[in-house]
Amino acid sequence: MAKVWIPALLRGMAGGQSEIELPGETVRALIDQLEARYPGIRERLIEDDRLRPNIAVVVDGTRSRQGLRQPVGEHSEVHFVPAISGG
Amino acid sequence: MPSETPTVEKADSVRADSVRPVYRVVGTRPIRPDGVDKVTGRAIFGADVRLSGLLHGRVLRSPHAHARIKSIDTRAAEALPGVKAVITGQDFPDPQNKAATSGEGTVNLRSLAHNCIARDKVLYFGHAVAAVAAATPNIAEEAIKLIKVDYEVLPHVLDVCEAMRPDAPLLHEDLRTNEMGQRAGAPSNVANHTRHERGNVDQAFAEAAVVVEREFRTSMVHQGYIEPQNGTALWNADGQISVWCSTQAPFDERNQIAEIVGAPVSKIKVTPTEIGGGFGGKLSVFLEPLAAMLSKKAGHRPVKMVMNRAEVLAATAPTSGSCIRVKMGADQNGRIVAAQAWMAYEAGAFPGSPVDAGAGVIFAPYRIPNVLIDAYDVVVNKPRAGAYRAPGGTNAAFASESVIDELAEKLGIDPLEFRILNGAREGDRRADGPVYKRIGFIETAQAAKAHPHYQAPLAPSRLDPEGKNPAIKRGRGVAAGFWFNWGGKSSAWASLNPDGTVSLVEGSPDIGGSRASIAMQLAESLGVRAEDVKPAVVDTDSVGYNDATGGSRVTFGTGWVAYRLGEKLKQQLKERAALLWDVAPDQVHAEAGVFSSNGHSITLKELAARLDETGGPIVASDSFQSDEYGPGFGVHIVDLEVDTETGKVQILRYTAAQDVGCAIHPSYVEGQLQGGVAQGIGWALNEEFVYDAEGHLLNASFLDYRIPTALDLPMIDTVLVEVPNPGHPYGVRGVGETPIVPPAGAVANAISRAIGVRMTALPMSPARILEALGQVRGAER
């Protein structure tokens, strides 16, 4: 099961939990699992079938460019973080 | 000087891996391929572009910080002899309210379009309102004076905290605060709120032995590049649009221009000219869409536009001013137990400040079990904020490193030792969540601590060499910094010439010596000299897509492509040698430009001369993206003196240590560190946008907006710590952004130790120093 860190501003929807272990082989599958447990959380992360433009997903310490299609390992750690830019 | 010299370990270089790989090219210091043209003035910058029938464009800009445009009358300007076209916002389509790639992040295309030329409202002093193309620059200048704009002046707001108040004047009536996908009900100037939270900060603060809490303010500052923004465009009668401009991001700009002028991206070709500095300020368009639309309206004649310095300062993309509150606590053993930050950054006229990056930077060098960070992106009536070297990082580190220094002081622990004690290591969790892979913060802090600068007494005073003037106070400060770095997408191709040299065609504009660092990586992997690779940066039609030159990504990302190109060329050469010797390609061995098999041997140059007889040209192309870019950490030491009678601060000695992964061309890595420090010192001591009560920019020239010169700075020492990034064949980490993160904090800490007052606002100008000293003296009385 992958460990998903729930963004601080969404923890109110998740009963205050900061992390949860979920089954799933992709980021999309994990978000589906989150939605099943905490209805409404998917639309806070996804817009037009993609991660919202200002959100990036980090899997096992690496920011993914595959977004929802990013594969997730059985013991992966997943974070949703702001998409940042450099100069 | 030939580059085919062995790598020399310099005294100011520290390598973390026990056995350094043997490189022939990487780590040497060849002359840069573009060097001669740049020092002789032959290099073509944007202002040098000349085309047949060229017209000259000028922009009419808003005299108000916030106003509604009631009407624009262009008839008198159009009637002026020599004027060929006049445009306003009404000449452009209104792009969708959607995001597009810009640098590492995204930009809202509608905001970008409205920033290039106002529609119904002007949102800051200098906002473009109309533009003219004419036969000469003087006629264009006269014509814009003839345009009559009827404004309804609106209340404005310049300060980030005032803009957050519920009764503040609203810049955008449709802007609602976004909190991770949820929009607030009422309009606000707060565009976005982000939070990072781990553990329980309240409980940890209650149990801490020492707690420090302070509020910090920083002013909006500019990148200060020497070359102004420019753009020349030809909208041809067949619909093809050619653009020449100074840009860090030709492919992103191609997309932006397409959306703003309403043309297919396939019709647009962007040619990046040489660039006279960018530092994040040239990632998006300003003049280019205006020049294109003027060209179309002027009967398909080319139009050139070049900003003057006042326009650059008033109306491009400086970086955010900010208000930051930081609270940190440590136990009696010196372990940081909790950290909290409240951060509000000015976005300028449109959402998109770098506050989220600042929130990632603010506590990044440290292992902290309990964290709470709130970050707010706030629009104000100033130019749209852009990236500036580690965007958001300098503001954040100024605040956090000041508080960390004060914690160390209260605990009686050496400030560098305190940072090492609490420093992040591989496997530690970053304050904003993810776990670090291989990083070099501890090695960097230890290198700084062991440096002769830190071991020596304070540098001698320049103003008071004999130490007799009690008004001259000296102090030493340290600070740490972090930047994420980035990989991004790169494409390039290479062809082998008959003389054994290689032509390398790339699409990453060279803003910091990257032609050299990219060519060297191809040379290393192929087995030729650096001088044997001839790099060229070309237009968007002549090479595959490249992300922006930004985020400290090019030597890493495009370097990866160069490495792979070298391997691909080498494989083809093995196949040619195999043909000559009638052996299988996998039986051919390549080493340092010599191919051998079963007693046969041939050099790369000899093989290149026989291309025709072995199958013809050898060409390789590659597109690649690696996400395994390693973050960078820096630790800086500064000695300075403060004249307590005038408030002037003089930098006496400065040393910057940084984990650079692997310095491909050490001179350019050192230059990046020195440049970042110089800009950081300017930010710390002098630079700020000064507005009057009506929102007019008062210091729109380099006489009044004071960037440091060589007279202000000592030689900046550098220590290149090499903790190789396992995600790159040579261990490269980006280096360009980290060095601007620590200087403001280091300088503030040195001033504090010199005069006994904590400085909490940037710039720490003479006036602010005297004000702070006055408060102390008043308290003493």
Side-chain angles (χ1 to χ4, degrees), chain A residues 5 7-11 44-45 52-55 58 60-63 65 77 79-82 84-87, chain B residues 104-105 178-182 193-195 197 248 279-280 283 356-357 391 429 433 437 483 625 627-629 737:
Chain A
W5 286 68
L9 289 171
L10 303 187
R11 286 176 195 164
R44 303 288 294 273
L45 297 168
R52 287 181 175 273
N54 57 345
I55 296 175
V58 175
D60 298 329
T62 298
R63 196 171 93 176
R65 60 195 146 102
E77 184 175 300
H79 292 262
F80 297 98
V81 299
I84 57 93
S85 56
Chain B
E104 283 167 272
N178 174 43
E179 288 191 312
M180 201 99 193
Q182 179 167 287
H193 171 213
T194 300
R195 173 176 289 172
E197 186 174 16
Q248 297 174 238
F279 312 112
L283 290 167
D356 285 335
R429 187 172 298 285
K437 296 183 178 176
W483 188 248
Q625 176 172 6
D627 297 320
E628 298 298 332
Y629 45 92
E737 313 208 44

Side-chain angles (χ1 to χ4, degrees), chain B residues 429-454:
Chain B
R429 187 172 298 285
R430 215 167 69 195
D432 57 346
V435 172
Y436 283 120
K437 296 183 178 176
R438 182 72 175 99
I439 54 172
F441 175 67
I442 296 300
E443 289 87 343
T444 305
Q446 287 171 336
K449 191 172 179 220
H451 192 272
H453 181 169
Y454 203 66

Side-chain angles (χ1 to χ4, degrees), chain B residues 178-384:
Chain B
N178 174 43
E179 288 191 312
M180 201 99 193
Q182 179 167 287
R183 296 279 175 188
S188 168
N189 291 323
V190 181
N192 194 68
H193 171 213
T194 300
R195 173 176 289 172
H196 302 290
E197 186 174 16
R198 191 170 75 246
N200 185 331
V201 290
D202 291 335
Q203 184 180 337
F205 283 131
E207 294 170 4
V210 185
V211 175
V212 174
E213 182 174 14
R214 286 192 181 273
E215 179 175 307
F216 300 85
R217 301 296 294 247
T218 74
S219 299
M220 178 171 266
V221 297
H222 199 271
Q223 298 86 352
Y225 37 79
I226 301 303
E227 182 206 21
Q229 258 83 1
N230 55 71
T232 299
L234 170 61
W235 192 317
N236 214 348
D238 62 1
Q240 297 287 334
I241 302 172
S242 299
V243 176
W244 297 260
C245 57
S246 174
T247 177
Q248 297 174 238
F251 289 88
D252 291 347
E253 293 209 358
R254 180 181 63 172
N255 298 344
Q256 294 165 11
I257 293 166
E259 293 285 345
I260 293 172
V261 305
V265 73
S266 58
K267 295 281 188 184
I268 299 172
K269 179 175 77 173
V270 174
T271 302
T273 54
E274 293 294 345
I275 182 167
F279 312 112
K282 293 178 179 171
L283 290 167
S284 62
V285 293
F286 296 92
L287 297 173
E288 297 89 333
L290 309 188
M293 195 57 79
L294 284 168
S295 173
K296 182 183 184 186
K297 208 168 178 182
H300 307 291
R301 289 178 65 175
V303 176
K304 179 159 80 172
M305 305 181 81
V306 182
M307 285 192 187
N308 60 36
R309 184 64 58 194
E311 290 178 293
V312 171
L313 287 166
T316 54
T319 203
S320 304
S322 58
C323 176
I324 302 173
R325 291 195 286 272
V326 171
K327 181 178 181 181
M328 299 181 80
D331 66 20
Q332 57 189 7
N333 297 317
R335 299 277 184 185
I336 299 173
V337 295
Q340 184 172 357
W342 182 96
M343 314 170 72
Y345 278 33
E346 296 167 0
F350 298 95
S353 79
V355 69
D356 285 335
V361 167
I362 192 161
F363 302 127
Y366 306 105
R367 42 162 57 150
I368 306 173
N370 301 286
V371 180
L372 177 59
I373 303 171
D374 282 291
Y376 297 88
D377 180 36
V378 184
V379 293
V380 297
N381 290 112
K382 293 181 180 177
R384 169 180 161 264

